[in-house]
Amino acid sequence: MGIIGFVNGVLIPIGLALIMFSMGLTLRLADFAFAAGLRRLVAVGVAAHMLLLPLLGLAVGRLFGLEHELALAVFIIAICPTGTTSNALTFVGGGNVALAVVLTAISSLITVFTIPLLLAWAIPHFMDGAGKLPELSMLDTIAKLVRITVLPIAIGMVVRSRWPDVSISLARKLKPTAFIVLLAMLGFSIAISFDMVIRNAIAVGPAMFALNVLALASGLLIGRLMKVGPRDQMTLAIEVGVQNATLALFLTATVLGSLELSISQNVYGVLMLANAGILIRLFRARIAAEASTE
């Protein structure tokens, strides 16, 4: 196994499994009862993940005139909603962490089935015979996603219920895993082909930036239409605007075996973190003011 095969076939899957395990460490069955008490907010948030984001991915690809692999790259990040990074950013920004965790957990379970369906449609639609991506087996992709997402989440929840003190310590140590995986993959991509990274950033960077800004703005708009406070508005913006870039890396590098597609996901990962940081700064004073009046 070469270095690329080791990274794609071992390191990225292990990193993603650890991220999902750390999410499970923060979840209890009672959290889903909490979601039932916020049915409208949770339903709208999940709908934004499952319906709005893929449509935004398609629209941005068309708007920027992207073709083939670049358009597919934009679409792939759009169908990988939210992850533990969004939960961490919500915590840092003083948002509604419980809402963020529940939205992330529910969407992660649903995407096990939606991602293979959307990918099976997207690959022939975008590539149209222009590339050499492998044919996608839906059942095989579902099985891979179950092993790499649902199973680690379930194990994490068991650990949380049996050994709560251990789970808190583990969750804290694993919190930076998503960021580390993104940085490691970016460094690996640069080491393998710096020219490809620069070329990819120039070609798809503006479209990825637009997708992220539109996603963040959509989350804010949803919050305002739902007439929730600044804390929940910021939470929805982060949940809709911060995608699961590590899952997108797993799909592009491991499932599809495309270095160029995976570099595009790294580009998005850097942009979404920068934009989310700006959003948090803008909302910090408003959230503090809201908390002081409670």
Side-chain angles (χ1 to χ4, degrees):
M1 180 185 292
I3 182 65
I4 294 178
F6 178 73
V7 169
N8 293 348
V10 179
L11 290 187
I12 294 177
I14 288 175
L16 181 57
L18 284 174
I19 291 166
M20 293 300 156
F21 173 67
S22 69
M23 184 196 303
L25 291 172
T26 66
L27 280 172
R28 300 168 301 167
L29 291 177
D31 292 325
F32 295 96
F34 162 84
L38 293 174
R39 283 190 297 271
R40 287 178 64 244
L41 206 54
V42 171
V44 171
V46 172
H49 288 163
M50 298 301 120
L51 301 175
L52 178 61
L53 282 174
L55 291 174
L56 282 178
L58 287 173
V60 167
R62 287 284 181 88
L63 181 66
F64 282 81
L66 301 178
E67 295 183 356
H68 307 312
E69 282 198 348
L70 294 181
L72 179 59
V74 172
F75 186 72
I76 286 175
I77 192 68
I79 64 174
C80 295
T82 194
T84 56
T85 302
S86 65
N87 300 164
L89 288 169
T90 299
F91 173 76
V92 169
N96 189 336
V97 178
L99 174 63
V101 169
V102 168
L103 281 173
T104 299
I106 293 173
S107 294
S108 296
L109 296 175
I110 295 173
T111 51
V112 168
F113 304 100
T114 59
I115 285 175
L117 285 170
L118 290 169
L119 269 185
W121 168 81
I123 291 172
H125 172 77
F126 288 111
M127 299 308 293
D128 193 24
K132 297 181 179 179
L133 293 177
E135 287 190 17
L136 191 72
S137 164
M138 269 207 299
L139 289 177
D140 183 52
T141 305
I142 289 172
K144 285 179 180 176
L145 288 172
V146 168
R147 288 197 302 268
I148 219 74
T149 59
V150 177
L151 189 57
I153 289 172
I155 294 172
M157 290 182 69
V158 171
V159 173
R160 169 67 187 264
S161 66
R162 296 285 299 275
W163 303 283
D165 292 338
V166 173
S167 70
I168 292 170
S169 175
L170 275 175
R172 190 181 302 116
K173 291 175 182 176
L174 291 172
K175 188 174 289 184
T177 303
F179 183 62
I180 291 170
V181 170
L182 274 178
L183 281 183
M185 272 303 296
L186 184 59
F188 171 73
S189 302
I190 291 172
I192 293 295
S193 178
F194 180 74
D195 289 344
M196 184 187 291
V197 172
I198 298 301
R199 189 169 65 249
N200 200 295
I202 293 170
V204 81
M208 290 295 198
F209 179 81
L211 173 64
N212 185 242
V213 170
L214 286 171
L216 288 167
S218 297
L220 283 178
L221 179 60
I222 289 169
R224 292 195 175 185
L225 291 175
M226 298 287 289
K227 297 181 179 179
V228 297
R231 187 164 171 259
D232 286 340
Q233 283 183 32
M234 189 194 72
T235 301
L236 287 168
I238 291 175
E239 277 296 300
V240 179
V242 176
Q243 276 65 58
N244 192 341
T246 313
L247 177 57
L249 280 173
F250 173 75
L251 292 172
T252 52
T254 304
V255 177
L256 299 179
S258 171
L259 179 60
E260 188 161 355
L261 282 174
S262 64
I263 290 173
S264 299
Q265 312 312 313
N266 272 304
V267 171
Y268 188 88
V270 172
L271 291 171
M272 77 177 185
L273 290 174
N275 288 338
I278 294 170
L279 179 79
I280 288 170
R281 283 181 174 271
L282 292 173
F283 265 79
R284 188 164 285 160
R286 293 178 60 188
I287 291 172
E290 180 188 46
S292 66
T293 60
E294 292 177 351

